[in-house]
Amino acid sequence: MLISSIFLFILRHPRTTWTSTSTSNPAARILDEDQAKMTYTFTTNSHPPALLTNKTLVYPTLANPTRTSNNHPVFNHAMHIRHAVFIEEQGCNPDAEIDADDARSWQYVIYANTTDTHDQEERAVAVVRLVPPPHAPHEALQEPARASELPAFDVRHEPYVKITRVAVIKEFRGLGLAAKVMRAAEEWAAENKESIDAMCRRVAGDDGIDEQGKGWTGLVGLHAQVQVEKMYQRMGYETNHSMGTWDEEGIQHVGMFKRVDLVEK
């Protein structure tokens, strides 16, 4: 488990009322302008791939929390964010939210903590998933009907780690949290080439080795929803126009890439 950063913001509290815990004054009251501001400390945490512990991931639900006891706690927190954003907000299919990539991936979650005496709950508010290579050929996305005819992995192009499932809880948007959680994942990757290459070999064996045989050399890619393409450009990603656009869960996407400098150990 990794704590990668701590940072502070003054954020207008998303609620307009609160209920006092005092037994002498249990009534709710309206917050005035000064009280509506709250100081948050944000921390970043991560979890290792479930494949390393041979555990089967379970979709966390409030109705049956015991079924998710084998999940890493950070994975459960990540899924709560993903469910709120992708399933509830964007209407994506919940049956596809946990996919084959989850077991081999690292996820990073930002937690919001406040020292306010009336609200000390830590809350998971942003997430990103880092998927190591190899990945399916891009043609499988452009022409799903041909997917069964294509190789399982693309070894013709340079290997890249893929940033996926970037999500921020609605009331915490506009604070740059997506950029911060992505930077945490990118920095970890730059320092852990051996772990990324090892997971690639574990998943795909010799079939996943790139033609050059160098393993991962710092290329980072993502499939961006077209409406947030400019946001990723500000983070240093460039659109690969040769990939065109394609549909994922009813949303148009483009391919974007950047390169990070690997840290030698």
Side-chain angles (χ1 to χ4, degrees):
M1 188 175 293
L2 172 68
I3 300 292
S4 59
S5 61
I6 299 177
F7 43 101
L8 291 171
F9 280 113
I10 302 297
L11 176 67
R12 189 168 304 282
H13 198 283
R15 296 176 298 175
T16 56
T17 63
W18 63 277
T19 302
S20 171
T21 57
S22 170
T23 56
S24 61
N25 183 21
R29 62 187 178 90
I30 303 297
L31 297 177
D32 62 27
E33 188 70 11
D34 291 333
Q35 292 166 328
K37 293 182 178 180
M38 184 172 291
T39 301
Y40 281 96
T41 301
F42 293 92
T43 58
T44 308
N45 212 336
S46 67
H47 72 81
L51 196 59
L52 295 177
T53 56
N54 297 314
K55 291 183 178 179
T56 300
L57 295 171
V58 178
Y59 205 126
T61 65
L62 295 177
N64 195 359
T66 58
R67 294 184 63 237
T68 63
S69 60
N70 283 336
N71 291 351
H72 194 288
V74 176
F75 176 82
N76 287 339
H77 299 157
M79 288 302 301
H80 292 155
I81 302 170
R82 287 163 54 175
H83 184 87
V85 174
F86 300 124
I87 310 306
E88 295 181 355
E89 280 190 50
Q90 299 184 0
C92 296
N93 181 4
D95 294 336
E97 186 53 36
I98 289 184
D99 60 19
D101 285 338
D102 272 305
R104 64 182 176 126
S105 299
W106 292 263
Q107 285 193 100
Y108 285 76
V109 173
I110 286 181
Y111 295 87
N113 307 269
T114 177
T115 57
D116 182 88
T117 57
H118 300 290
D119 188 356
Q120 295 182 324
E121 181 180 1
E122 179 181 70
R123 184 178 180 189
V125 296
V127 65
V128 67
R129 185 177 71 173
L130 181 73
V131 187
H135 307 290
H138 183 59
E139 293 84 352
L141 289 172
Q142 293 178 312
E143 303 177 69
R146 292 187 54 232
S148 61
E149 305 170 8
L150 299 170
F153 304 112
D154 176 11
V155 296
R156 296 180 297 113
H157 300 96
E158 179 182 351
Y160 65 96
V161 297
K162 184 162 65 172
I163 296 289
T164 69
R165 301 300 200 268
V166 182
V168 179
I169 294 295
K170 182 181 293 184
E171 57 264 42
F172 285 86
R173 292 171 192 165
L175 299 174
L177 298 185
K180 288 185 179 296
V181 74
M182 286 180 62
R183 190 176 305 119
E186 292 167 0
E187 290 175 353
W188 179 89
E191 297 174 356
N192 289 275
K193 167 183 165 59
E194 290 184 358
S195 296
I196 290 169
D197 286 343
M199 184 56 65
C200 175
R201 290 191 296 270
R202 178 163 183 160
V203 169
D206 293 339
D207 291 338
I209 302 300
D210 60 290
E211 292 181 349
Q212 301 300 317
K214 296 180 180 179
W216 182 62
T217 56
L219 188 64
V220 183
L222 56 84
H223 295 170
Q225 296 181 10
V226 293
Q227 67 266 27
V228 291
E229 182 179 0
K230 291 184 178 179
M231 178 189 77
Y232 292 120
Q233 288 174 344
R234 292 193 293 270
M235 299 180 196
Y237 287 84
E238 297 181 1
T239 303
N240 185 333
H241 295 287
S242 68
M243 297 175 69
T245 60
W246 65 93
D247 179 278
E248 290 186 32
E249 294 287 338
I251 303 171
Q252 289 296 302
H253 285 70
V254 294
M256 305 184 74
F257 293 87
K258 72 182 290 186
R259 190 172 295 279
V260 297
D261 295 326
L262 301 187
V263 178
E264 295 186 7
K265 294 185 177 181

